Amino acid sequence: MHLQDRWKRIIDELNSERVTSVEELTERLGVSPATIRRDLNELHELGHLLRVRGGATRADSTIQNPRAGDDRRSGLTGQSAFADSVITNAAAKRAIARLALSYITPGLSMIIDGGTTTFMMASMMADEPYHVLTTSVPILQCLFERPRIKVTVPGGELFRDQSIILNPYDDGILQHFAAQRMFIGCQALTRNGLLQTDTLLVQSERRLMERASEVIVLADSSKIDAPASLSVCPLKDIDVLITDENIDPSAVRWLNAHDIEVRIAKIEDGAAAA
């Protein structure tokens, strides 16, 4: 069973009035207990469920989590649209995120832009001495409990729909931050460049890109030549694209023609074994 299908099945099996045990889910889905436990932990981080001892309940459950008090991770459950997007093409995003980790080493200063694939990358990062600048609230929450990772957040206003913090004026912190690499997602990547559909994201991402020496785009193959209307940057500003094996070979050729290194992640490398 593919990762995306398994996660949907797990959520469908949960009950808001009682704990659904790891053993129940193992039997119903036909996978190992270790796989179920890993899936439950990740879905809890994404706000899709409430992880409790021995299993899980629905995110809106009134059952108290004995390990974390009455913590509902309210910062994430309010971002249901974002959490739903993480599940879409989850196996490809996981593979891309895992390959992206090969571009980071301890001591690296980096910008991790908001997005579901970049969030998945952040969720996989080890607790090492990195310096991360991000405007993404989900990524900030994801890195909060990793004390060796220094996290910088530019000051500004919280935009809840986009889950970002943005200052419409000059930001002193951002002006003085120098990143070796920036990891960025997109709504689309076409011959016209990297595109988004939200004006706030375009404004934020343009500022962030100015502070990075190298730009690495994380985008699953469905984003190549997808519809979008707002340009963030032309192709010449992109150094690396990390995508999945379903990318059209013709797209690889025109990307290479613009001096973009295309790295292909095998989806099975990023999917959890059933």
Side-chain angles (χ1 to χ4, degrees), residues 236-261:
K236 67 180 181 63
D237 292 342
I238 299 171
D239 298 287
V240 180
L241 166 67
I242 304 179
T243 188
D244 63 80
E245 57 194 327
N246 292 323
I247 185 173
D248 192 304
S250 65
V252 176
R253 289 193 290 272
W254 61 256
L255 287 161
N256 288 157
H258 286 84
D259 296 324
I260 297 174
E261 177 187 0

Side-chain angles (χ1 to χ4, degrees), residues 101 103-110 112 124-133 143 146-151:
L101 294 180
Y103 284 83
I104 67 174
T105 54
L108 185 77
S109 64
M110 70 189 91
I112 305 181
M124 295 179 182
M125 289 174 62
D127 188 12
E128 296 286 353
Y130 306 118
H131 189 177
V132 174
L133 183 145
L143 298 179
R146 299 175 197 181
R148 299 186 70 192
I149 300 178
K150 181 179 180 180
V151 181

Side-chain angles (χ1 to χ4, degrees), residues 17-34:
E17 298 179 353
R18 69 174 183 86
V19 174
T20 303
S21 69
V22 171
E23 290 74 18
E24 289 179 81
L25 293 169
T26 296
E27 181 178 353
R28 293 174 190 175
L29 275 68
V31 297
S32 70

Side-chain angles (χ1 to χ4, degrees), residues 161-172:
D161 290 344
Q162 295 84 2
S163 295
I164 61 172
I165 299 169
L166 180 62
N167 189 340
Y169 308 104
D170 291 336
D171 189 296

